[in-house]
Amino acid sequence: MEDAYARSAREVLDFFAVDPARGLTDFRVAEHGRLYGKNVLPQEKSTPFWRLVLKQFDDLLVKILIAAAIISFLLALANGETGLSAFLEPSVILMILAANAAVGVITETNAEKALEELRAYQADVATVLRNGCFSILPASDLVPGDIVEVSVGCKIPADMRMIEMLSDHLRVDQAILTGESCSVEKELDTTNVSKAVYQDKTNILFSGTIVVSGRARAVVVGVGSNTAMGNIRDSMLNTEDEATPLKKKLDEFGTFLAKVIAGICLLVWIVNIGHFRDPAHGGFLRGAIHYFKIAVALAVAAIPEGLPAVVTTCLALGTKRMARLNAIVRSLPSVETLGCTTVICSDKTGTLTTNMMSVSKISVLHSANNIPVVAEYAVSGTTFAPDGTISDSTTELQLELPANFHCLLHTAICSALCNESVIQYNPDKRCYEKIGESTEVALRVLAEKIGLPGFDSMPSSLNMLSKHERASYCNRYWENQFKKVSALEFTRDRKMMSVLCNRKQIQIMFSKGAPESILPRCTNIMCNDDGSTIHLTSEIRAEIESKFHSFAGNETLRCLALALKRMPLGQQALSFDDEKDLTFIGLVGMLDPPREEVRDAILSCMTAGIRVIVVTGDNKTTAESLCRRIGAFDHMDDFSGLSYTASEFEELPALQKTMALQRMTIFTRVEPSHKRMLVEALQHQNEVVAMTGDGVNDAPALKKADIGIAMGSGTAVAKSASDMVLSDDNFATIVAAVAEGRAIYNNTKQFIRYMISSNIGEVVCIFVAALLGIPDTLVPVQLLWVNLVTDGLPATAIGFNKQDSDVMKVKPRKVNEAVVTGWLFFRYLVIGVYVGLATIAGFVWWFLYSDIGPKLPYTELVNFDSCSTRETNYSCTVFSDRHPSTVAMTVLVVVEMFNALNNLSENQSLLVIPPWSNLWLLGSIILTMLLHTLILYVAPLSALFSVAPLSWSEWTVVLYLSFPVIIIDEILKFFSRNSKGTRFNLRWRRMDLLPKTEGHSK
């Protein structure tokens, strides 16, 4: 029943045909069970493991690699190869793909945990009226129409409509659903609000929320999926995971590369059709297979097999650095997503604020003879810990012994006695926790901060207590001094509560409540300086009321007034008539305070071009006041056009909605569907959205956002739905995480460019060799070695490049920005062409000029395939010698080591950023060269990779051919740093290696 809040209790009872005095009959229970289903969130089918595994191979580059592995294996068998040589290349490729698939499967299985965690918020049991009798039944047995009784501490088992109040009032903590820091008072009256949100439905008890005070009966109107918690589940379930910006770019790169590879391979094969019948191949078919094998080798050379592994490794290294910043990354790709975040939608309660209601101001009468007559005190401390000071707001001087001031002392006594909450220390979490109403807990903490009178060593003596004893030491002291005799509970019409206490033959009634209820009942007022009581004159009353309006209006504090009254000795009960002729003690103002570090964090976000939108279930005035109190929005004198409630935003025309989204700073009175809607609307404007939150209500938006950021103290549901968890609940940690994300992306671009230029070199090498008609320069297994080991280690080490000093002073990059574009593509094309030509040069040098080589004429080299049909003065076996390919492979390895040094910075010279600025890169280069030397000089390995040991003269030639790559790139960097490079970039701007796409991508 979706509109139960808009109907009277009688209408709801009639709809379900239930008698509120007897409950449902067994027949009705069975009938409703068939009609509405069980009161459980359905178990969602998990994705089969085999489907998750197959999903990891649904990538064009991966498919090309698998095809290359299979073809390589079949060609090896067709050539009569057996054993290790036939299986080596395909086995290595498949091992790489299996490792990447494993990482993907682990990441995706984490995503399904959020739905499981949601079930933890369902109640286990419920007190149900059936067949005229109350009984405790499993909550899963509830059906719509059941009459349920709830009281303090109960977890609401289903969505229910209030039908009877069994106490003066009922308050429910529904923060997990709405994010409100204060509990909500429930009532029986019908709600007549159009487009009512959860906060407006004051006659509905929502599943999973908790009763903090009072007792009532309600009729079940929604079970299972048809509850507020069920709606959250459905919203999470309907959210599809989207690719991150980097993943999108790599996918585009794969598609682009696949087309290039296919074209080049086909071109190489077609160009050599005339050589298919060469006698060296032994027939047309064998010749076709030979050149097809070269095309496969070209495909292997063009595909950077190590790229997925290097990206994963770099992101993993980034997560370790972020963990040290208290940002726990649950999804590796989200590390990079932070770098292009343009909007952070921040939950207010518990994220920008501490979610711990605390007293911040106290106002009392100083003395009738003092100007001004009203004294104001500021209270520090923003948590439930009994740590804080009381300071005079006028002089800003801290009070050493607050309890020696009469009004402050009686404020502490009234706060301790007019209270039903509890504070306790949790040793496991190492923090103080509350049980009960937030405002009452704030008063408990205030009593601890004021302390006890008559002890010169009061502050230090309290600090000597254990944390468990300190939690409520002062409160327990007053409870022991004043024995409670009777109490009048809070009611909606009175808006106050009173307790009658006895101490040393003196009976006193203490009262607390809304100032508009307490103040009219007061005839006297206590003076703070001497403890005397004077008549509450109209002038003093006006001063107090002015202070109240200042607290509640400008500062949006939640205000309570405290009062007392001497009662006749022996009185054992209180009546409402006793609540008059009171003596006013003071006024306290409390709030859910902002975190101290939030201001600087938001300002840093603004400097970095990131917009912050405060999203909350609280009302508009409270949210705007918080933003002013934070201080980061001081430049916004007026929030009109920047602050909207959910209903206001929904009523805007489409064009105005678009404009509002571009300026919005505050979004209030929201429920889960609104948060998700906001994220989607921003994403449609090509914004990259980060959503922070900690409650169950935040989970759908966290899952939908490009990066969901949960608080460490938040609910398990929020954490499971998020990509990242802030272990310190500190909004400022997001700023550090964004800086790290940007640095990771910059380093990722560097090693992608490094691998691209290296692979261009390999493609040029094979392509030019095929065009010239010389023997195979490199065999596929050598290409694999270079791609995985030679490229992989330095590329990973590039991920350790230092963070740029201005990384948080530039605007976020566009999501459709290509990784390599224009001038950069030209630069790396030049480098790649040189790498390929240097490799060919090393190969040709050995045949033509090496002292241990055959010193052939160039014409003999390009006609090697007809050697067996001609008379020559050299043996044809020289073309199967392993030395020339070894020289070529070594040139390729060494030139790429020098090229790795080029990638310490995109544009800065090696003279500015020297090689030792990244010791990991130097270490990887040394390790790579040791491994390469190992396969050259260890017999079994040299045979496996078809290489031979090199002489010193051959090493000298290798160095001569390799080093110029640094000189070439230094020249290109020089142009990049100057205007000529900029103009050149304009001419090349359309040549994007990674194609741009329109629209938003996650």
PDB file of all heavy atoms in Angstrom, residues 898-915:
ATOM      1  N   PHE A 898      67.052   3.097 -22.947  1.00  0.00           N
ATOM      2  CA  PHE A 898      67.292   4.538 -23.070  1.00  0.00           C
ATOM      3  C   PHE A 898      65.964   5.287 -23.236  1.00  0.00           C
ATOM      4  O   PHE A 898      65.773   6.381 -22.698  1.00  0.00           O
ATOM      5  CB  PHE A 898      68.209   4.832 -24.258  1.00  0.00           C
ATOM      6  CG  PHE A 898      69.652   4.476 -24.000  1.00  0.00           C
ATOM      7  CD1 PHE A 898      70.351   3.646 -24.860  1.00  0.00           C
ATOM      8  CD2 PHE A 898      70.320   4.995 -22.895  1.00  0.00           C
ATOM      9  CE1 PHE A 898      71.682   3.326 -24.619  1.00  0.00           C
ATOM     10  CE2 PHE A 898      71.653   4.685 -22.647  1.00  0.00           C
ATOM     11  CZ  PHE A 898      72.333   3.845 -23.509  1.00  0.00           C
ATOM     12  N   ASN A 899      65.045   4.681 -23.972  1.00  0.00           N
ATOM     13  CA  ASN A 899      63.727   5.302 -24.180  1.00  0.00           C
ATOM     14  C   ASN A 899      62.950   5.395 -22.871  1.00  0.00           C
ATOM     15  O   ASN A 899      62.162   6.324 -22.659  1.00  0.00           O
ATOM     16  CB  ASN A 899      62.931   4.505 -25.219  1.00  0.00           C
ATOM     17  CG  ASN A 899      61.671   5.234 -25.662  1.00  0.00           C
ATOM     18  OD1 ASN A 899      61.604   6.462 -25.635  1.00  0.00           O
ATOM     19  ND2 ASN A 899      60.660   4.483 -26.052  1.00  0.00           N
ATOM     20  N   ALA A 900      63.151   4.418 -21.964  1.00  0.00           N
ATOM     21  CA  ALA A 900      62.493   4.464 -20.652  1.00  0.00           C
ATOM     22  C   ALA A 900      62.935   5.698 -19.878  1.00  0.00           C
ATOM     23  O   ALA A 900      62.130   6.351 -19.204  1.00  0.00           O
ATOM     24  CB  ALA A 900      62.814   3.199 -19.865  1.00  0.00           C
ATOM     25  N   LEU A 901      64.234   6.047 -19.993  1.00  0.00           N
ATOM     26  CA  LEU A 901      64.724   7.256 -19.329  1.00  0.00           C
ATOM     27  C   LEU A 901      64.062   8.505 -19.900  1.00  0.00           C
ATOM     28  O   LEU A 901      63.834   9.487 -19.188  1.00  0.00           O
ATOM     29  CB  LEU A 901      66.244   7.357 -19.469  1.00  0.00           C
ATOM     30  CG  LEU A 901      67.063   6.264 -18.763  1.00  0.00           C
ATOM     31  CD1 LEU A 901      68.542   6.439 -19.065  1.00  0.00           C
ATOM     32  CD2 LEU A 901      66.825   6.304 -17.249  1.00  0.00           C
ATOM     33  N   ASN A 902      63.743   8.464 -21.194  1.00  0.00           N
ATOM     34  CA  ASN A 902      63.041   9.599 -21.806  1.00  0.00           C
ATOM     35  C   ASN A 902      61.696   9.854 -21.147  1.00  0.00           C
ATOM     36  O   ASN A 902      61.172  10.974 -21.183  1.00  0.00           O
ATOM     37  CB  ASN A 902      62.818   9.342 -23.303  1.00  0.00           C
ATOM     38  CG  ASN A 902      64.102   9.436 -24.098  1.00  0.00           C
ATOM     39  OD1 ASN A 902      65.035  10.130 -23.708  1.00  0.00           O
ATOM     40  ND2 ASN A 902      64.168   8.737 -25.220  1.00  0.00           N
ATOM     41  N   ASN A 903      61.105   8.819 -20.565  1.00  0.00           N
ATOM     42  CA  ASN A 903      59.754   8.917 -20.024  1.00  0.00           C
ATOM     43  C   ASN A 903      59.711   9.266 -18.535  1.00  0.00           C
ATOM     44  O   ASN A 903      58.677   9.105 -17.887  1.00  0.00           O
ATOM     45  CB  ASN A 903      58.996   7.607 -20.271  1.00  0.00           C
ATOM     46  CG  ASN A 903      58.535   7.485 -21.712  1.00  0.00           C
ATOM     47  OD1 ASN A 903      57.509   8.013 -22.092  1.00  0.00           O
ATOM     48  ND2 ASN A 903      59.332   6.799 -22.511  1.00  0.00           N
ATOM     49  N   LEU A 904      60.823   9.757 -18.006  1.00  0.00           N
ATOM     50  CA  LEU A 904      60.782  10.284 -16.640  1.00  0.00           C
ATOM     51  C   LEU A 904      59.874  11.504 -16.571  1.00  0.00           C
ATOM     52  O   LEU A 904      59.290  11.810 -15.539  1.00  0.00           O
ATOM     53  CB  LEU A 904      62.196  10.664 -16.185  1.00  0.00           C
ATOM     54  CG  LEU A 904      63.079   9.495 -15.724  1.00  0.00           C
ATOM     55  CD1 LEU A 904      64.520   9.957 -15.589  1.00  0.00           C
ATOM     56  CD2 LEU A 904      62.575   8.925 -14.402  1.00  0.00           C
ATOM     57  N   SER A 905      59.766  12.205 -17.687  1.00  0.00           N
ATOM     58  CA  SER A 905      58.865  13.356 -17.784  1.00  0.00           C
ATOM     59  C   SER A 905      58.425  13.500 -19.220  1.00  0.00           C
ATOM     60  O   SER A 905      59.160  13.122 -20.145  1.00  0.00           O
ATOM     61  CB  SER A 905      59.563  14.631 -17.315  1.00  0.00           C
ATOM     62  OG  SER A 905      58.742  15.760 -17.559  1.00  0.00           O
ATOM     63  N   GLU A 906      57.218  14.052 -19.408  1.00  0.00           N
ATOM     64  CA  GLU A 906      56.701  14.209 -20.761  1.00  0.00           C
ATOM     65  C   GLU A 906      57.483  15.247 -21.550  1.00  0.00           C
ATOM     66  O   GLU A 906      57.808  15.043 -22.714  1.00  0.00           O
ATOM     67  CB  GLU A 906      55.221  14.610 -20.692  1.00  0.00           C
ATOM     68  CG  GLU A 906      54.551  14.708 -22.038  1.00  0.00           C
ATOM     69  CD  GLU A 906      53.072  15.020 -21.913  1.00  0.00           C
ATOM     70  OE1 GLU A 906      52.381  14.349 -21.114  1.00  0.00           O
ATOM     71  OE2 GLU A 906      52.609  15.945 -22.599  1.00  0.00           O
ATOM     72  N   ASN A 907      57.828  16.349 -20.890  1.00  0.00           N
ATOM     73  CA  ASN A 907      58.472  17.443 -21.620  1.00  0.00           C
ATOM     74  C   ASN A 907      59.785  17.930 -21.004  1.00  0.00           C
ATOM     75  O   ASN A 907      60.516  18.675 -21.649  1.00  0.00           O
ATOM     76  CB  ASN A 907      57.517  18.642 -21.728  1.00  0.00           C
ATOM     77  CG  ASN A 907      56.299  18.329 -22.587  1.00  0.00           C
ATOM     78  OD1 ASN A 907      56.418  17.721 -23.648  1.00  0.00           O
ATOM     79  ND2 ASN A 907      55.123  18.710 -22.116  1.00  0.00           N
ATOM     80  N   GLN A 908      60.065  17.552 -19.750  1.00  0.00           N
ATOM     81  CA  GLN A 908      61.273  18.040 -19.104  1.00  0.00           C
ATOM     82  C   GLN A 908      62.507  17.247 -19.535  1.00  0.00           C
ATOM     83  O   GLN A 908      62.458  16.029 -19.682  1.00  0.00           O
ATOM     84  CB  GLN A 908      61.136  17.962 -17.580  1.00  0.00           C
ATOM     85  CG  GLN A 908      60.126  18.936 -17.003  1.00  0.00           C
ATOM     86  CD  GLN A 908      60.510  20.377 -17.244  1.00  0.00           C
ATOM     87  OE1 GLN A 908      61.685  20.745 -17.196  1.00  0.00           O
ATOM     88  NE2 GLN A 908      59.518  21.223 -17.514  1.00  0.00           N
ATOM     89  N   SER A 909      63.610  17.969 -19.707  1.00  0.00           N
ATOM     90  CA  SER A 909      64.858  17.349 -20.131  1.00  0.00           C
ATOM     91  C   SER A 909      65.441  16.473 -19.025  1.00  0.00           C
ATOM     92  O   SER A 909      65.171  16.676 -17.834  1.00  0.00           O
ATOM     93  CB  SER A 909      65.870  18.439 -20.513  1.00  0.00           C
ATOM     94  OG  SER A 909      67.163  17.905 -20.655  1.00  0.00           O
ATOM     95  N   LEU A 910      66.275  15.505 -19.438  1.00  0.00           N
ATOM     96  CA  LEU A 910      66.976  14.664 -18.467  1.00  0.00           C
ATOM     97  C   LEU A 910      67.981  15.482 -17.657  1.00  0.00           C
ATOM     98  O   LEU A 910      68.427  15.041 -16.599  1.00  0.00           O
ATOM     99  CB  LEU A 910      67.705  13.517 -19.182  1.00  0.00           C
ATOM    100  CG  LEU A 910      66.822  12.344 -19.626  1.00  0.00           C
ATOM    101  CD1 LEU A 910      67.626  11.366 -20.463  1.00  0.00           C
ATOM    102  CD2 LEU A 910      66.226  11.634 -18.425  1.00  0.00           C
ATOM    103  N   LEU A 911      68.339  16.658 -18.149  1.00  0.00           N
ATOM    104  CA  LEU A 911      69.230  17.534 -17.397  1.00  0.00           C
ATOM    105  C   LEU A 911      68.495  18.187 -16.231  1.00  0.00           C
ATOM    106  O   LEU A 911      69.109  18.576 -15.236  1.00  0.00           O
ATOM    107  CB  LEU A 911      69.803  18.620 -18.323  1.00  0.00           C
ATOM    108  CG  LEU A 911      70.643  18.117 -19.503  1.00  0.00           C
ATOM    109  CD1 LEU A 911      71.063  19.286 -20.385  1.00  0.00           C
ATOM    110  CD2 LEU A 911      71.871  17.349 -19.001  1.00  0.00           C
ATOM    111  N   VAL A 912      67.170  18.306 -16.341  1.00  0.00           N
ATOM    112  CA  VAL A 912      66.342  18.888 -15.278  1.00  0.00           C
ATOM    113  C   VAL A 912      65.846  17.799 -14.327  1.00  0.00           C
ATOM    114  O   VAL A 912      65.886  17.953 -13.105  1.00  0.00           O
ATOM    115  CB  VAL A 912      65.146  19.659 -15.885  1.00  0.00           C
ATOM    116  CG1 VAL A 912      64.234  20.196 -14.781  1.00  0.00           C
ATOM    117  CG2 VAL A 912      65.644  20.791 -16.766  1.00  0.00           C
ATOM    118  N   ILE A 913      65.334  16.713 -14.892  1.00  0.00           N
ATOM    119  CA  ILE A 913      64.888  15.566 -14.085  1.00  0.00           C
ATOM    120  C   ILE A 913      65.830  14.407 -14.393  1.00  0.00           C
ATOM    121  O   ILE A 913      65.630  13.667 -15.365  1.00  0.00           O
ATOM    122  CB  ILE A 913      63.437  15.186 -14.413  1.00  0.00           C
ATOM    123  CG1 ILE A 913      62.507  16.378 -14.144  1.00  0.00           C
ATOM    124  CG2 ILE A 913      62.990  13.986 -13.579  1.00  0.00           C
ATOM    125  CD1 ILE A 913      61.052  16.125 -14.434  1.00  0.00           C
ATOM    126  N   PRO A 914      66.895  14.262 -13.624  1.00  0.00           N
ATOM    127  CA  PRO A 914      67.922  13.249 -13.913  1.00  0.00           C
ATOM    128  C   PRO A 914      67.412  11.828 -13.679  1.00  0.00           C
ATOM    129  O   PRO A 914      66.404  11.632 -12.984  1.00  0.00           O
ATOM    130  CB  PRO A 914      69.039  13.608 -12.934  1.00  0.00           C
ATOM    131  CG  PRO A 914      68.351  14.286 -11.798  1.00  0.00           C
ATOM    132  CD  PRO A 914      67.194  15.026 -12.399  1.00  0.00           C
ATOM    133  N   PRO A 915      68.082  10.839 -14.223  1.00  0.00           N
ATOM    134  CA  PRO A 915      67.650   9.439 -14.072  1.00  0.00           C
ATOM    135  C   PRO A 915      67.503   8.997 -12.630  1.00  0.00           C
ATOM    136  O   PRO A 915      66.626   8.192 -12.315  1.00  0.00           O
ATOM    137  CB  PRO A 915      68.769   8.657 -14.785  1.00  0.00           C
ATOM    138  CG  PRO A 915      69.327   9.622 -15.782  1.00  0.00           C
ATOM    139  CD  PRO A 915      69.229  10.971 -15.140  1.00  0.00           C
TER     140      PRO A 915
END
